Amino acid sequence: MNDLDQLVAQAQSEFAKAPTPAELENAKARFLGKAGRVTELLKALSALPPEEKKARGALINAAKQQVEAALTARRHALAEAELDQQLKAEALDVTLPGRQRGLGGLHPVSRTMERIEEIFASMGFDVADGPEIETDWMSFTALNNPENHPARSMQDTFYVDMKDAEGRWLNLRPHTSPMQVRYARAHAKKYAGHDPMPEIRVIAPGRTYRVDSDATHSPMFHQCEGLWLGENVSFKDLKVVFADFFRQFFETDDLELRFRPSFFPFTEPSAEVDIQFGHGPLKGRWLEVSGSGQVHPNVVRNFGLDPERYIGFAFGMGPDRLTMLRYGVNDLRLFFEGDLRFLNQFK
Ligand code: DAH
């Protein structure tokens, strides 16, 4: 092997060992740079006698071309390796399924609320909404439950240490019954010149609050108030409305209703409404689903109406309870803990 062959072999080996383009350029400089070994050989030509110069020059040039070819080949190889790596790093698997957004759903109690609204709307009931912070007068006094009357303790009310602009104490409404008063008063005002006044037929679903917490009671819970008032509305109508409602709600005719005498200050007579299924896991058990009664004359008076003329019934049912019965849920707290494992089942 002559000196030029050795030089070429050395260049090839150094280029091959260069792991990066930068190091390859350093190696190139050692051979082809201004002070590189090939360059030095060419410079040395001038010292040779003219007859040797040509042959030696041709040999050096041939060696130089080999070195250059080795350099170019290594440059390509390194560039390709780099590209390969980049492609691998940025690889995109177009066969992966897309990421989907989690689908939300209505809360089971909201479903019940919508269902209640739909069914009552189909019977000609309006749907009303009202404040959750109420005055003492609306929550109790107007509902024939005077200040300091023991019947107020039927409800463990959250009292707010604050009065409204007219100096009335405030509370978190312990039931939706104040909506009877709000709605009826607005209705009476709206139809003041009409004789007779159009009937009031309304439900008022919403949140209610009591100092109460166990498997079947939550400090925040839901109620749906109902009121039907006119010149000729009787307990019979209440019974028909309820029978119709519960059969539609539970999608079965195999269901019995019972009115059990009870007491509420705002109704006289008053009744608890129980239902009983003729089938299924709750078959044969009476289940309390609503309070109800004929609106007390004092309450009708507080509506701004004449109790000698206008009569009707009211009720307050528990949508949370209805949801538990409909879906077979045995702990009310599940509804309000926000556990997605529970809630996802209702989507
Ligand atoms: N407000 C009552 C409660 O929370 C429920 C109720 C009973 C509402 C009888 C009524 C009614 O409208 O007539 O326990």
Side-chain angles (χ1 to χ4, degrees):
M1 204 184 250
N2 64 32
D3 64 331
L4 290 177
D5 290 339
Q6 248 173 13
L7 180 76
V8 170
Q10 216 171 346
Q12 284 170 337
S13 130
E14 286 194 28
F15 292 168
K17 274 190 270 178
T20 64
E23 283 176 71
L24 179 60
E25 294 314 307
N26 288 339
K28 172 204 157 185
R30 286 198 292 279
F31 292 91
L32 301 170
K34 266 189 202 151
R37 290 169 61 186
V38 177
T39 319
E40 294 296 330
L41 287 176
L42 286 170
K43 278 187 203 158
L45 274 181
S46 57
L48 290 181
E51 60 280 13
E52 277 178 44
K53 222 186 229 172
K54 199 174 169 196
R56 178 71 177 164
L59 285 174
I60 297 173
N61 270 330
K64 184 181 176 187
Q65 273 168 14
Q66 281 180 282
V67 171
E68 282 171 346
L71 175 69
T72 308
R74 184 62 184 155
R75 274 181 180 155
H76 284 150
L78 282 178
E80 216 154 284
E82 196 177 40
L83 184 66
D84 260 7
Q85 212 163 21
Q86 195 182 351
L87 285 177
K88 229 178 261 170
E90 293 171 6
L92 196 66
D93 183 352
V94 292
T95 66
L96 272 179
R99 267 176 223 151
Q100 292 183 334
R101 272 185 195 218
L103 265 193
L106 276 185
H107 189 279
V109 175
S110 300
R111 283 172 177 270
T112 296
M113 294 292 221
E114 288 200 346
R115 215 174 152 73
I116 293 174
E117 289 174 21
E118 263 169 39
I119 297 170
F120 276 102
S122 78
M123 295 192 257
F125 280 73
D126 192 9
V127 178
D129 199 15
E132 290 169 27
I133 299 177
E134 261 302 1
T135 62
D136 187 78
W137 191 80
M138 285 284 182
S139 286
F140 297 111
T141 318
L143 292 163
N144 195 36
N145 201 338
E147 262 174 66
N148 305 316
H149 194 282
R152 286 200 177 193
S153 62
M154 284 169 78
Q155 292 158 344
D156 302 307
T157 310
F158 282 110
Y159 289 96
V160 181
D161 194 9
M162 205 185 278
K163 291 181 179 177
D164 74 355
E166 285 150 58
R168 297 186 292 201
W169 285 106
L170 298 174
N171 56 55
L172 295 184
R173 65 177 181 189
H175 52 183
T176 42
S177 301
M179 279 308 294
Q180 286 184 35
V181 186
R182 285 183 179 274
Y183 190 92
R185 284 170 74 88
H187 187 92
K189 215 166 154 187
K190 185 168 164 191
Y191 295 104
H194 293 63
D195 194 9
M197 169 194 83
E199 281 188 353
I200 293 175
R201 225 183 282 184
V202 66
I203 59 162
R207 276 185 284 269
T208 45
Y209 303 85
R210 284 186 209 175
V211 187
D212 219 349
S213 187
D214 61 41
T216 53
H217 297 89
S218 152
M220 189 287 298
F221 60 106
H222 298 87
Q223 278 197 346
C224 180
E225 196 73 12
L227 177 66
W228 185 355
L229 198 83
E231 285 187 303
N232 228 330
V233 186
S234 74
F235 229 93
K236 172 197 78 202
D237 299 304
L238 170 61
K239 202 164 179 186
V240 170
V241 164
F242 264 149
D244 207 27
F245 169 75
F246 285 110
R247 288 185 181 138
Q248 282 197 56
F249 184 86
F250 288 108
E251 294 169 278
T252 177
D253 284 338
D254 188 16
L255 180 150
E256 268 190 275
L257 241 71
R258 171 173 88 175
F259 285 79
R260 196 160 30 86
S262 183
F263 169 77
F264 298 102
F266 30 91
T267 43
E268 183 58 43
S270 305
E272 299 280 359
V273 183
D274 302 332
I275 58 169
Q276 187 186 66
F277 296 98
H279 64 281
L282 296 166
K283 178 185 160 129
R285 271 177 58 192
W286 285 109
L287 309 159
E288 188 182 311
V289 286
S290 184
S292 69
Q294 183 172 300
V295 184
H296 194 286
N298 286 345
V299 177
V300 177
R301 212 167 281 123
N302 288 330
F303 290 167
L305 296 169
D306 178 4
E308 296 295 331
R309 200 165 166 198
Y310 295 104
I311 187 167
F313 63 80
F315 58 86
M317 58 173 75
D320 304 326
R321 189 81 202 282
L322 294 184
T323 313
M324 290 170 80
L325 292 174
R326 182 158 145 84
Y327 295 113
V329 175
N330 56 14
D331 193 327
L332 176 70
R333 290 169 293 200
L334 284 167
F335 289 142
F336 309 123
E337 282 167 352
D339 187 333
L340 289 177
R341 290 169 303 178
F342 173 72
L343 295 173
N344 277 334
Q345 299 175 69
F346 298 92
K347 287 203 303 213

